[in-house]
Amino acid sequence: MTDATVAALRRDFPILQRRVNDCPLVYLDSAASAQMAEPVMAAIDDYRRHHHANVHRGAHTLSAEATERYEASRARVARFLGAPDPRGVVFTRNATEALNLIAHAYGRSRLQAGDEVLVSVAEHHANLVPWHLLAQDRGVVIKGVGLSADGRVDLDALEAAIGPRTKVVATFHVSNVLGYEQPLRRIADAAHAVGALFVVDGAQAAPHVAVDVVASGVDAYAFSGHKVGGPTGIGALWMRPDVLETLPPFLGGGEMIRRVEVDRSTYADIPMRFEAGTPAIAEAIGLAAALDYLEAIGLENIWAHDRALATQALAGLDALTGVETYGPRGDDRGGIVPFNVVGVHPHDVASFLDAEGIAVRAGHHCAQPLMKALGVASTARASFWLYTTRDEVDAFVAAVARVRDFFAGDAVSVATDAPRPGEALA
Ligand code: PMP
């Protein structure tokens, strides 16, 4: 995207006009939560002002309008993912809940003691802990694939680890730390060769790359609204409808039933079977508006912009002695740049940058096994999106140089391998 295009897009994001600590805000934390564009806020506002009511129950006009908008949002998510059948889309609170839903509903109904779930060491905790809960409950075995010399998940090792006991292969589409995109089709083919389910954590991919669940052979795909420029409190799970319709519910209550007696119940068809209780209606409508906004720009344009900014940032940081960066280099690398200033705790780095109005994240990024594999306890992380400018990246790199100079020889800041209580969540 040209500088003029990005400047025009920025006008859609009022928060970017803010000043923080007397400096213009430089928001480099979109991988944690992206900012929301005016049209998204307007869609939520319009629903709240003119159409709000509970869905699927009322015979009155407002309820019908709310239901129509909610179901249109489901169809919008399906189209965004390249899924032909909206019945495969379940609205959840976020990617975390979507992954828990699969681990619970699929894991507990299909897997037995000794069956294996294959993950990588680079997963977000949201794609590890639900499987750990399953392992504790059912004696399922979790196996983790490490990194290869090039810093990517070792796909040769992954293929070699897949065997007759492998029932699920669960991994990320784009890493929230390493920043690169995995080749889904290759992993899908390996998983399907033994009849395993291929589950993809798409939380960091959905805002940046075009997703086609059918072409890439995915069986289940999870993402969050707040990372694609939608609101918090909404996410989605897409699962192949022919698999989803064989699964038992995750949560029970209203909306998900067919018939209820005092002592038993039967369940609704998909997707309602997995949406117990009143859903996040305004948020689902906001999510659909966010997807409209992204597709109007073009995911391929966003990804190209991310890649160009990541290349610029990595070149700038790598030119600084005393600064380390992480993750593989290449065309598959998007706008996520983890780094450390040697000898300075990432929280100190983030605080220093915040004093200049620059927002970055610091911590283990909910990826402790990956931190271990990288040999660090935590990192700082800058992340870019469609509204990030080249000038902001330059300002960021210059500020990191000032952090390094400020702390040079300073014995107060602790080493980067010393974790602190309450490390930030990714
Ligand atoms: N997976 C990845 C790769 C993520 O980056 C995140 C968010 N940091 C999640 C899953 C979880 O997303 P949420 O907190 O919205 O459920």
Side-chain angles (χ1 to χ4, degrees), residues 286-300:
L287 169 58
L291 301 182
D292 286 343
Y293 188 82
L294 288 193
E295 287 195 345
I297 298 169
L299 271 304
E300 58 294 340

Side-chain angles (χ1 to χ4, degrees), residues 31-32 93-97 99 124 126-127 172 174-176 201-204 224-227 365-366 381 425-426:
R93 279 191 304 135
N94 45 38
T96 301
E97 189 174 278
L99 292 163
H124 188 280
N127 195 29
F172 61 87
V174 168
S175 162
N176 65 317
D201 171 3
Q204 295 294 345
S224 286
H226 66 101
K227 294 187 200 282
H365 312 295
C366 297
R381 181 189 72 183
L425 296 178

Side-chain angles (χ1 to χ4, degrees), residues 133-205:
L133 295 173
L134 177 68
Q136 283 157 20
D137 200 38
R138 290 295 155 95
V140 165
V141 177
I142 315 297
K143 284 189 162 179
V145 177
L147 302 182
S148 59
D150 69 2
R152 295 176 177 83
V153 171
D154 187 340
L155 293 186
D156 293 336
L158 182 135
E159 284 166 346
I162 291 177
R165 306 246 42 179
T166 312
K167 294 291 182 276
V168 174
V169 177
T171 192
F172 61 87
H173 189 181
V174 168
S175 162
N176 65 317
V177 178
L178 303 171
Y180 79 100
E181 180 189 12
Q182 293 211 94
L184 296 185
R185 186 77 242 184
R186 176 174 170 190
I187 305 170
D189 289 346
H192 293 159
V194 296
L197 188 80
F198 182 34
V199 176
V200 178
D201 171 3
Q204 295 294 345

